Coordinates of all heavy atoms in Angstrom, one line a residue:
A22 N 17.8 17.0 -22.1 CA 16.5 17.4 -22.6 C 15.9 16.5 -23.8 O 14.9 16.2 -23.8 CB 16.6 18.9 -23.0
L23 N 16.9 16.2 -24.6 CA 16.5 15.3 -25.7 C 15.9 14.0 -25.2 O 14.9 13.5 -25.6 CB 17.9 15.0 -26.5 CG 17.5 14.5 -28.0 CD1 16.7 15.5 -28.8 CD2 18.9 14.5 -28.7
F24 N 16.8 13.4 -24.2 CA 16.3 12.1 -23.7 C 14.9 12.2 -23.1 O 14.0 11.4 -23.2 CB 17.2 11.6 -22.7 CG 17.0 10.2 -22.2 CD1 17.3 9.1 -23.1 CD2 16.4 10.0 -21.1 CE1 16.8 7.8 -22.6 CE2 16.1 8.7 -20.6 CZ 16.4 7.6 -21.4
A25 N 14.7 13.3 -22.2 CA 13.6 13.5 -21.4 C 12.3 13.7 -22.4 O 11.3 13.2 -22.3 CB 13.7 14.7 -20.4
G26 N 12.6 14.5 -23.5 CA 11.4 14.9 -24.4 C 11.1 13.6 -25.4 O 9.9 13.5 -25.7
D27 N 12.2 13.0 -25.9 CA 12.0 12.0 -27.0 C 12.0 10.5 -26.5 O 11.3 9.7 -27.3 CB 13.0 12.1 -28.1 CG 12.7 13.5 -28.9 OD1 11.5 13.9 -29.0 OD2 13.6 14.0 -29.5
C28 N 12.6 10.3 -25.5 CA 12.7 8.8 -25.0 C 11.9 8.4 -23.8 O 11.2 7.5 -23.7 CB 14.1 8.5 -24.8 SG 15.3 9.1 -26.1
L29 N 11.9 9.3 -22.8 CA 11.3 9.0 -21.5 C 9.7 8.9 -21.6 O 9.0 8.2 -20.7 CB 11.5 10.1 -20.4 CG 12.8 9.9 -19.6 CD1 12.9 10.9 -18.5 CD2 12.8 8.5 -18.9
P30 N 9.0 9.5 -22.6 CA 7.7 9.4 -22.7 C 7.3 7.7 -22.9 O 6.1 7.3 -22.4 CB 7.2 10.0 -24.1 CG 8.2 11.2 -24.1 CD 9.5 10.6 -23.5
C31 N 8.2 7.0 -23.4 CA 8.0 5.5 -23.5 C 8.9 4.6 -22.7 O 8.5 3.5 -22.3 CB 8.1 5.0 -24.9 SG 6.9 5.6 -26.1
H32 N 10.0 5.2 -22.4 CA 11.0 4.4 -21.6 C 11.2 4.9 -20.1 O 10.8 6.1 -19.8 CB 12.4 4.5 -22.2 CG 12.6 3.7 -23.6 ND1 12.7 2.4 -23.6 CD2 12.4 4.2 -24.8 CE1 12.7 2.0 -24.9 NE2 12.6 3.1 -25.6
R33 N 11.7 4.1 -19.3 CA 12.3 4.5 -18.0 C 13.7 4.5 -18.0 O 14.3 3.8 -18.9 CB 11.7 3.7 -16.8 CG 10.2 3.9 -16.7 CD 9.7 3.0 -15.6 NE 8.2 3.2 -15.5 CZ 7.4 3.5 -14.5 NH1 8.0 3.6 -13.4 NH2 6.1 3.5 -14.7
L34 N 14.4 5.2 -17.0 CA 15.8 5.0 -16.9 C 16.2 4.7 -15.5 O 15.9 5.7 -14.6 CB 16.5 6.2 -17.4 CG 18.1 6.1 -17.4 CD1 18.6 5.1 -18.3 CD2 18.7 7.6 -17.8
D35 N 16.6 3.5 -15.2 CA 16.9 3.1 -13.7 C 15.7 3.5 -12.8 O 15.8 3.9 -11.8 CB 18.1 4.0 -13.2 CG 19.4 3.5 -13.9 OD1 19.5 2.3 -14.3 OD2 20.3 4.4 -14.2
G36 N 14.4 3.1 -13.4 CA 13.2 3.2 -12.7 C 12.6 4.7 -12.7 O 11.5 4.9 -12.2
I37 N 13.4 5.6 -13.3 CA 12.9 7.1 -13.3 C 12.1 7.3 -14.5 O 12.4 6.8 -15.7 CB 14.1 8.0 -13.3 CG1 14.9 7.9 -12.0 CG2 13.7 9.4 -13.4 CD1 16.3 8.4 -12.0
G38 N 11.0 8.0 -14.3 CA 10.1 8.3 -15.5 C 8.8 7.5 -15.3 O 8.7 6.7 -14.4
R39 N 7.9 7.6 -16.3 CA 6.5 7.1 -16.3 C 6.4 6.2 -17.5 O 5.3 5.7 -17.7 CB 5.5 8.1 -16.2 CG 5.6 8.9 -14.8 CD 4.3 9.6 -14.6 NE 4.4 10.3 -13.3 CZ 4.0 11.5 -13.0 NH1 3.3 12.1 -14.1 NH2 4.2 12.1 -11.9
G40 N 7.4 6.1 -18.4 CA 7.2 5.4 -19.6 C 7.0 3.9 -19.4 O 7.6 3.3 -18.6
T41 N 6.0 3.3 -20.0 CA 5.6 2.0 -19.8 C 5.6 1.2 -21.2 O 5.5 -0.1 -21.1 CB 4.2 1.8 -19.1 OG1 3.3 2.5 -19.9 CG2 4.3 2.3 -17.7
K42 N 5.7 1.9 -22.3 CA 5.6 1.2 -23.6 C 6.9 0.4 -23.9 O 6.9 -0.6 -24.4 CB 5.5 2.1 -24.7 CG 4.0 2.6 -24.9 CD 3.7 3.4 -26.1 CE 2.3 3.9 -26.2 NZ 2.2 5.1 -27.1
G43 N 8.0 1.0 -23.6 CA 9.4 0.3 -23.9 C 10.0 0.0 -22.5 O 9.6 0.2 -21.6
P44 N 11.1 -0.8 -22.7 CA 11.9 -1.4 -21.6 C 12.5 -0.3 -20.9 O 12.8 0.9 -21.5 CB 12.9 -2.3 -22.3 CG 13.1 -1.9 -23.5 CD 11.8 -1.4 -24.1
D45 N 12.9 -0.4 -19.7 CA 13.7 0.5 -18.9 C 15.2 0.3 -19.5 O 15.7 -0.7 -19.7 CB 13.8 -0.1 -17.4 CG 14.6 1.0 -16.4 OD1 15.7 1.5 -17.0 OD2 14.0 1.3 -15.4
L46 N 15.8 1.6 -19.9 CA 17.1 1.5 -20.7 C 18.2 1.4 -19.7 O 19.4 1.5 -20.1 CB 17.2 2.8 -21.6 CG 16.0 2.9 -22.7 CD1 16.3 4.2 -23.4 CD2 16.1 1.7 -23.6
G47 N 17.9 1.5 -18.3 CA 19.1 1.3 -17.5 C 19.1 -0.1 -16.7 O 20.2 -0.4 -16.1
R48 N 18.0 -0.7 -16.7 CA 17.9 -2.0 -15.9 C 17.4 -3.2 -16.9 O 16.6 -2.9 -17.7 CB 16.9 -1.9 -14.9 CG 17.3 -0.9 -13.8 CD 16.2 -0.8 -12.8 NE 16.6 0.2 -11.7 CZ 15.7 0.7 -10.8 NH1 14.4 0.3 -10.8 NH2 16.1 1.5 -9.8
P49 N 17.8 -4.4 -16.7 CA 18.8 -4.9 -15.7 C 20.2 -4.3 -15.9 O 21.0 -4.4 -15.0 CB 18.7 -6.3 -15.7 CG 18.3 -6.7 -17.1 CD 17.4 -5.5 -17.5
M50 N 20.5 -3.9 -17.2 CA 21.8 -3.3 -17.3 C 21.6 -2.2 -18.3 O 20.7 -2.1 -19.2 CB 22.9 -4.2 -17.8 CG 22.4 -5.2 -19.1 SD 23.8 -6.1 -19.6 CE 24.1 -7.3 -18.4
N51 N 22.5 -1.2 -18.3 CA 22.3 0.0 -19.1 C 22.6 -0.5 -20.7 O 23.5 -1.3 -21.0 CB 23.5 1.0 -18.8 CG 23.3 2.3 -19.5 OD1 23.8 2.4 -20.6 ND2 22.9 3.2 -18.8
V52 N 21.8 0.1 -21.5 CA 21.9 -0.3 -22.9 C 23.4 -0.1 -23.4 O 23.7 -0.9 -24.3 CB 20.9 0.5 -23.8 CG1 19.6 0.1 -23.6 CG2 21.1 2.0 -23.7
T53 N 24.2 0.8 -22.9 CA 25.5 1.0 -23.5 C 26.4 -0.2 -23.1 O 27.5 -0.3 -23.5 CB 26.1 2.3 -22.9 OG1 26.2 2.3 -21.5 CG2 25.3 3.5 -23.5
A54 N 25.9 -1.0 -22.1 CA 26.7 -2.2 -21.8 C 26.4 -3.4 -22.8 O 27.2 -4.4 -22.8 CB 26.3 -2.7 -20.3
Y55 N 25.6 -3.3 -23.6 CA 25.3 -4.4 -24.5 C 25.0 -4.0 -26.0 O 25.1 -5.0 -26.8 CB 24.1 -5.4 -24.1 CG 22.8 -4.8 -23.8 CD1 21.9 -4.8 -24.8 CD2 22.4 -4.2 -22.6 CE1 20.6 -4.1 -24.7 CE2 21.1 -3.7 -22.4 CZ 20.2 -3.6 -23.6 OH 19.0 -3.1 -23.4
L56 N 24.8 -2.8 -26.2 CA 24.8 -2.3 -27.7 C 26.2 -1.7 -27.9 O 26.8 -1.1 -27.0 CB 23.7 -1.3 -27.8 CG 22.2 -1.9 -27.7 CD1 21.2 -0.6 -28.0 CD2 22.0 -3.0 -28.7
T57 N 26.4 -1.6 -29.3 CA 27.6 -0.8 -29.7 C 27.1 0.6 -30.0 O 25.9 0.9 -30.2 CB 28.3 -1.4 -30.9 OG1 27.4 -1.4 -31.9 CG2 28.7 -2.8 -30.6
P58 N 27.9 1.6 -30.0 CA 27.5 3.0 -30.5 C 26.8 2.9 -31.8 O 25.8 3.5 -32.1 CB 28.8 3.9 -30.5 CG 29.8 3.1 -29.6 CD 29.3 1.7 -29.6
A59 N 27.4 2.1 -32.8 CA 26.8 2.1 -34.1 C 25.4 1.3 -34.0 O 24.5 1.7 -34.8 CB 27.8 1.3 -35.0
G60 N 25.3 0.3 -33.3 CA 24.0 -0.5 -33.2 C 23.0 0.4 -32.5 O 21.8 0.4 -32.9
F61 N 23.4 1.2 -31.5 CA 22.5 2.1 -30.9 C 22.0 3.2 -31.9 O 20.8 3.5 -32.1 CB 23.1 2.9 -29.7 CG 22.3 3.8 -28.9 CD1 21.3 3.5 -28.1 CD2 22.5 5.2 -29.2 CE1 20.6 4.4 -27.5 CE2 21.7 6.2 -28.5 CZ 20.8 5.8 -27.6
H62 N 22.9 3.7 -32.6 CA 22.6 4.7 -33.6 C 21.6 4.2 -34.7 O 20.6 4.9 -35.0 CB 23.9 5.2 -34.4 CG 23.6 6.4 -35.3 ND1 23.1 6.1 -36.6 CD2 23.9 7.6 -35.3 CE1 23.1 7.3 -37.2 NE2 23.5 8.2 -36.4
A63 N 21.9 3.0 -35.1 CA 21.0 2.3 -36.2 C 19.7 2.0 -35.6 O 18.7 2.3 -36.2 CB 21.7 1.0 -36.7
L64 N 19.6 1.6 -34.3 CA 18.3 1.3 -33.8 C 17.5 2.6 -33.4 O 16.2 2.6 -33.8 CB 18.5 0.5 -32.4 CG 17.2 -0.1 -31.7 CD1 17.7 -1.3 -31.0 CD2 16.6 0.7 -30.8
V65 N 18.1 3.7 -33.0 CA 17.3 4.9 -32.8 C 16.8 5.4 -34.2 O 15.7 5.9 -34.2 CB 18.0 5.8 -32.0 CG1 17.4 7.2 -31.9 CG2 18.4 5.3 -30.6
R66 N 17.7 5.3 -35.1 CA 17.4 5.9 -36.4 C 16.2 5.0 -37.1 O 15.2 5.7 -37.7 CB 18.6 5.8 -37.2 CG 18.5 6.4 -38.7 CD 18.2 8.0 -38.6 NE 19.4 8.8 -38.4 CZ 19.4 10.0 -37.7 NH1 18.3 10.3 -37.1 NH2 20.5 10.6 -37.6
D67 N 16.3 3.7 -37.0 CA 15.2 3.0 -37.5 C 15.3 1.5 -37.0 O 16.1 0.6 -37.4 CB 15.5 2.8 -39.1 CG 14.4 2.0 -39.8 OD1 13.4 1.6 -39.2 OD2 14.6 1.6 -41.1
P68 N 14.5 1.3 -36.1 CA 14.5 0.0 -35.2 C 14.2 -1.2 -36.2 O 14.9 -2.2 -36.0 CB 13.4 0.1 -34.2 CG 13.1 1.5 -34.0 CD 13.5 2.2 -35.3
R69 N 13.5 -1.0 -37.1 CA 13.2 -2.1 -38.2 C 14.3 -2.5 -39.0 O 14.4 -3.6 -39.5 CB 12.1 -1.9 -39.1 CG 10.7 -2.1 -38.2 CD 9.5 -1.2 -38.8 NE 8.4 -1.3 -37.9 CZ 8.2 -0.4 -36.8 NH1 9.2 0.4 -36.5 NH2 7.3 -0.7 -36.1
A70 N 15.3 -1.6 -39.1 CA 16.6 -2.0 -39.9 C 17.5 -2.8 -39.1 O 18.3 -3.6 -39.7 CB 17.3 -0.6 -40.2
V71 N 17.3 -2.9 -37.7 CA 18.1 -3.8 -36.9 C 17.5 -5.1 -36.5 O 18.2 -6.1 -36.7 CB 18.5 -3.0 -35.5 CG1 19.2 -3.9 -34.6 CG2 19.0 -1.7 -35.8
R72 N 16.2 -5.1 -36.3 CA 15.5 -6.4 -36.0 C 14.0 -6.1 -36.2 O 13.6 -5.0 -36.0 CB 15.8 -7.0 -34.7 CG 15.6 -5.9 -33.6 CD 16.2 -6.4 -32.3 NE 16.0 -5.4 -31.4 CZ 16.5 -5.2 -30.1 NH1 17.1 -6.3 -29.6 NH2 16.1 -4.2 -29.3
H73 N 13.2 -7.1 -36.4 CA 11.8 -6.8 -36.9 C 11.0 -8.0 -36.4 O 11.3 -9.1 -36.4 CB 11.8 -6.9 -38.4 CG 10.4 -6.5 -38.9 ND1 9.8 -5.2 -38.6 CD2 9.5 -7.2 -39.6 CE1 8.5 -5.2 -39.1 NE2 8.4 -6.4 -39.8
W74 N 9.8 -7.6 -35.8 CA 8.8 -8.6 -35.4 C 7.5 -8.0 -35.3 O 7.4 -6.6 -35.2 CB 9.2 -9.3 -34.0 CG 9.0 -8.4 -32.8 CD1 8.0 -8.1 -32.1 CD2 10.0 -7.5 -32.3 NE1 8.3 -7.3 -31.0 CE2 9.7 -6.7 -31.1 CE3 11.5 -7.2 -32.7 CZ2 10.4 -5.8 -30.5 CZ3 12.2 -6.3 -32.0 CH2 11.6 -5.7 -30.8
P75 N 6.3 -8.7 -35.3 CA 5.0 -8.0 -35.6 C 4.6 -7.0 -34.5 O 4.0 -5.9 -34.9 CB 4.1 -9.2 -35.6 CG 4.9 -10.4 -35.9 CD 6.3 -10.1 -35.4
A76 N 4.9 -7.2 -33.3 CA 4.4 -6.2 -32.2 C 5.3 -5.1 -32.1 O 5.2 -4.4 -31.1 CB 4.1 -7.0 -30.9
Q77 N 6.4 -4.9 -32.8 CA 7.4 -3.8 -32.7 C 6.6 -2.5 -32.5 O 5.8 -2.1 -33.4 CB 8.2 -3.8 -33.8 CG 9.5 -3.2 -33.6 CD 10.6 -3.5 -34.6 OE1 10.3 -4.0 -35.6 NE2 11.8 -3.3 -34.4
A78 N 6.9 -1.8 -31.5 CA 6.2 -0.6 -31.2 C 7.0 0.7 -31.4 O 6.5 1.8 -31.4 CB 5.6 -0.7 -29.8
M79 N 8.3 0.7 -31.4 CA 9.2 1.9 -31.4 C 9.3 2.3 -32.9 O 9.8 1.6 -33.7 CB 10.6 1.6 -30.9 CG 11.4 2.9 -30.8 SD 12.9 2.6 -29.9 CE 13.9 4.0 -30.6
A80 N 8.9 3.6 -33.1 CA 9.2 4.2 -34.3 C 10.5 4.8 -34.4 O 11.2 5.1 -33.4 CB 8.2 5.3 -34.6
G81 N 11.1 4.9 -35.7 CA 12.5 5.5 -35.8 C 12.5 7.1 -35.7 O 11.4 7.6 -35.8
F82 N 13.7 7.5 -35.5 CA 13.8 9.0 -35.3 C 14.6 9.5 -36.7 O 15.8 9.4 -36.6 CB 14.5 9.4 -34.1 CG 13.6 9.3 -32.9 CD1 13.6 8.0 -32.3 CD2 12.8 10.3 -32.3 CE1 12.7 7.8 -31.2 CE2 12.1 10.1 -31.3 CZ 12.0 8.9 -30.6
P83 N 14.0 10.0 -37.8 CA 14.8 10.3 -38.8 C 15.6 11.6 -38.5 O 15.3 12.3 -37.5 CB 13.6 10.7 -39.8 CG 12.4 10.9 -39.1 CD 12.6 10.0 -37.9
P84 N 16.6 12.0 -39.3 CA 17.5 13.0 -39.1 C 16.8 14.4 -38.8 O 17.4 15.2 -38.2 CB 18.4 13.1 -40.4 CG 18.3 11.7 -40.9 CD 16.8 11.2 -40.6
D85 N 15.6 14.6 -39.4 CA 15.0 15.9 -39.1 C 14.5 16.0 -37.7 O 14.2 17.1 -37.2 CB 13.9 16.2 -40.1 CG 12.9 15.2 -40.3 OD1 13.3 13.9 -40.2 OD2 11.8 15.5 -40.5
L86 N 14.3 14.9 -37.0 CA 13.9 14.8 -35.7 C 15.0 14.8 -34.7 O 15.1 15.6 -33.8 CB 13.0 13.6 -35.3 CG 11.6 13.6 -36.0 CD1 10.7 12.4 -35.6 CD2 10.8 14.9 -35.5
I87 N 16.0 13.9 -34.9 CA 17.2 13.9 -34.1 C 18.4 13.7 -35.0 O 18.5 12.7 -35.7 CB 17.2 12.7 -33.1 CG1 16.0 12.8 -32.1 CG2 18.5 12.6 -32.3 CD1 15.9 11.6 -31.1
G88 N 19.3 14.6 -35.1 CA 20.5 14.6 -36.0 C 21.5 13.6 -35.4 O 21.2 13.0 -34.3
D89 N 22.5 13.3 -36.2 CA 23.6 12.3 -35.8 C 24.3 12.8 -34.4 O 24.5 11.9 -33.7 CB 24.6 12.1 -36.9 CG 24.0 11.3 -38.1 OD1 23.0 10.6 -38.0 OD2 24.8 11.4 -39.2
D90 N 24.4 14.0 -34.4 CA 25.1 14.6 -33.2 C 24.1 14.3 -31.9 O 24.5 14.1 -30.9 CB 25.3 16.1 -33.3 CG 24.1 16.9 -33.7 OD1 23.2 16.4 -34.2 OD2 24.2 18.2 -33.5
G91 N 22.8 14.4 -32.3 CA 21.8 14.2 -31.1 C 21.9 12.6 -30.7 O 21.8 12.4 -29.4
I92 N 21.9 11.8 -31.6 CA 22.0 10.4 -31.2 C 23.3 10.1 -30.5 O 23.4 9.4 -29.5 CB 21.9 9.5 -32.4 CG1 20.5 9.6 -33.1 CG2 22.1 8.0 -32.1 CD1 20.2 8.7 -34.3
A93 N 24.4 10.8 -30.9 CA 25.7 10.7 -30.2 C 25.6 11.2 -28.8 O 26.2 10.6 -27.8 CB 26.8 11.3 -31.0
A94 N 24.9 12.3 -28.6 CA 24.7 12.9 -27.3 C 23.9 12.0 -26.4 O 24.1 11.9 -25.2 CB 24.0 14.3 -27.4
L95 N 22.8 11.3 -27.0 CA 22.1 10.4 -26.2 C 22.9 9.2 -25.7 O 22.8 8.8 -24.6 CB 20.9 9.8 -27.0 CG 19.7 10.8 -27.3 CD1 18.9 10.3 -28.4 CD2 19.0 11.0 -26.0
W96 N 23.7 8.6 -26.6 CA 24.7 7.5 -26.2 C 25.6 8.2 -25.0 O 25.9 7.4 -24.2 CB 25.6 7.2 -27.4 CG 26.5 6.1 -27.2 CD1 27.8 6.4 -26.8 CD2 26.3 4.7 -27.1 NE1 28.5 5.2 -26.5 CE2 27.6 4.2 -26.6 CE3 25.2 3.9 -27.2 CZ2 27.8 2.7 -26.5 CZ3 25.4 2.6 -26.9 CH2 26.6 2.0 -26.7
A97 N 26.1 9.4 -25.1 CA 27.1 9.8 -24.2 C 26.4 9.9 -22.9 O 26.9 9.7 -21.8 CB 27.6 11.2 -24.7
Y98 N 25.1 10.5 -23.0 CA 24.3 10.6 -21.7 C 24.1 9.3 -21.0 O 24.3 9.1 -19.8 CB 23.0 11.3 -22.1 CG 22.0 11.4 -20.8 CD1 22.3 12.2 -19.8 CD2 20.9 10.5 -20.9 CE1 21.4 12.2 -18.7 CE2 20.0 10.5 -19.9 CZ 20.3 11.3 -18.7 OH 19.4 11.4 -17.7
L99 N 23.6 8.3 -21.8 CA 23.3 7.0 -21.2 C 24.6 6.3 -20.6 O 24.6 5.7 -19.6 CB 22.7 6.1 -22.2 CG 21.2 6.5 -22.6 CD1 20.9 5.7 -24.0 CD2 20.4 6.1 -21.5
Q100 N 25.8 6.5 -21.3 CA 27.1 6.1 -20.8 C 27.4 6.7 -19.4 O 27.8 6.2 -18.5 CB 28.1 6.2 -21.8 CG 28.6 5.1 -22.5 CD 29.8 5.3 -23.3 OE1 30.1 6.5 -23.7 NE2 30.5 4.3 -23.6
L101 N 27.1 8.1 -19.5 CA 27.4 8.9 -18.2 C 26.7 8.4 -17.1 O 27.3 8.4 -15.9 CB 27.1 10.3 -18.6 CG 27.5 11.3 -17.5 CD1 29.1 11.5 -17.5 CD2 26.9 12.7 -17.8
V102 N 25.4 8.1 -17.2 CA 24.6 7.7 -16.1 C 24.6 6.2 -15.7 O 24.2 5.8 -14.7 CB 23.0 8.1 -16.3 CG1 22.9 9.5 -16.5 CG2 22.5 7.4 -17.5
A103 N 25.3 5.4 -16.6 CA 25.5 3.9 -16.4 C 26.3 3.7 -15.1 O 27.3 4.5 -15.0 CB 26.2 3.3 -17.7
P104 N 25.9 2.8 -14.3 CA 26.7 2.5 -13.1 C 28.1 2.0 -13.5 O 28.2 1.2 -14.5 CB 25.9 1.4 -12.4 CG 24.6 1.4 -13.1 CD 24.8 2.0 -14.4
R105 N 29.1 2.5 -12.9 CA 30.5 2.0 -13.2 C 30.8 0.6 -12.5 O 30.5 0.4 -11.4 CB 31.6 3.1 -12.7 CG 31.4 4.4 -13.1 CD 32.1 4.5 -14.6 NE 31.9 5.9 -15.1 CZ 30.8 6.3 -15.8 NH1 29.7 5.5 -15.8 NH2 30.8 7.6 -16.2
A106 N 31.5 -0.2 -13.3 CA 31.9 -1.4 -12.8 C 33.0 -1.2 -11.5 O 33.7 -0.3 -11.7 CB 32.5 -2.4 -13.8
A107 N 32.9 -2.1 -10.6 CA 33.7 -1.9 -9.5 C 35.2 -2.2 -10.0 O 35.4 -3.0 -10.8 CB 33.5 -2.8 -8.4
P108 N 36.1 -1.3 -9.5 CA 37.6 -1.6 -10.0 C 38.2 -2.9 -9.5 O 37.7 -3.4 -8.5 CB 38.3 -0.3 -9.4 CG 37.5 0.2 -8.3 CD 36.1 -0.1 -8.6
Ligands
HEC16 C1 6.6 5.4 -28.7 C2 7.4 4.8 -27.7 C3 8.9 5.0 -27.7 C4 9.7 6.1 -27.9 C5 9.2 7.5 -28.0 C6 11.1 5.6 -27.8 N1 11.1 4.3 -27.7 FE1 12.7 3.0 -27.6 N2 11.5 1.3 -27.6 C7 10.1 1.3 -27.5 C8 9.7 -0.1 -27.5 C9 8.2 -0.5 -27.4 C10 10.8 -0.8 -27.5 C11 10.9 -2.3 -27.4 C12 11.0 -2.8 -28.9 C13 9.7 -2.5 -29.7 O1 8.7 -2.9 -29.5 O2 9.9 -1.7 -30.5 C14 11.9 0.0 -27.5 C15 13.3 -0.3 -27.7 C16 14.4 0.5 -27.5 C17 15.7 0.0 -27.4 C18 16.2 -1.4 -27.4 C19 16.3 -1.9 -26.0 C20 16.7 -3.4 -25.8 O3 17.2 -3.8 -24.8 O4 16.4 -4.1 -26.8 C21 16.6 1.1 -27.3 C22 18.0 1.2 -27.1 C23 15.6 2.2 -27.3 N3 14.3 1.8 -27.5 C24 16.0 3.6 -27.2 C25 15.3 4.7 -27.4 C26 15.8 6.0 -27.4 C27 17.3 6.4 -27.2 C28 14.6 6.9 -27.6 C29 14.5 8.3 -27.7 C30 15.4 8.9 -28.8 C31 13.5 6.0 -27.7 N4 13.9 4.7 -27.6 C32 12.2 6.3 -27.8 C33 9.4 2.5 -27.5 C34 9.7 3.8 -27.7

């Protein structure tokens, strides 16, 4: 519910959703494949604290909008839906 309400308005996930402002968080690879949990947490909390450029469009989510447990739940969700590497 958190992902659908707060992230899908701008992002897609594996092509699902209508968000067009931000990148698809599942393609070409799931964000959990190239970010660390700490890096993901820092980016969702305040993208400008991680990297910065003029056209940056994502606003951060302060603790009153999404708590630390919420960001951890988003990470767990994205990991859960990420395609598993073949054994
Ligand atoms: C207002 C639109 C908007 C919302 C809402 C939004 N994002 Fe973003 N997001 C962006 C944009 C645009 C980018 C690309 C970087 C930039 O311009 O800020 C981005 C980049 C990212 C990235 C980096 C992806 C990469 O490969 O570099 C992650 C991870 C991310 N968003 C996760 C989230 C999560 C999780 C949520 C929900 C809590 C969320 N975003 C909500 C617009 C949004």
Side-chain angles (χ1 to χ4, degrees):
L23 197 55
F24 186 79
D27 286 335
C28 313
L29 271 186
C31 290
H32 291 280
R33 293 179 188 231
L34 183 61
D35 294 326
I37 296 165
R39 296 198 178 136
T41 54
K42 281 190 180 157
D45 190 313
L46 297 179
R48 293 176 181 169
M50 52 171 72
N51 188 281
V52 290
T53 61
Y55 60 88
L56 291 180
T57 62
F61 177 80
H62 186 283
L64 193 147
V65 173
R66 187 63 83 216
D67 181 12
R69 281 158 190 78
V71 177
R72 53 193 176 186
H73 186 63
W74 67 95
Q77 196 162 20
M79 180 172 161
F82 290 83
D85 56 323
L86 286 183
I87 302 181
D89 288 342
D90 55 341
I92 296 181
L95 286 168
W96 176 265
Y98 171 70
L99 288 167
Q100 255 187 339
L101 187 73
V102 300
R105 299 280 180 279

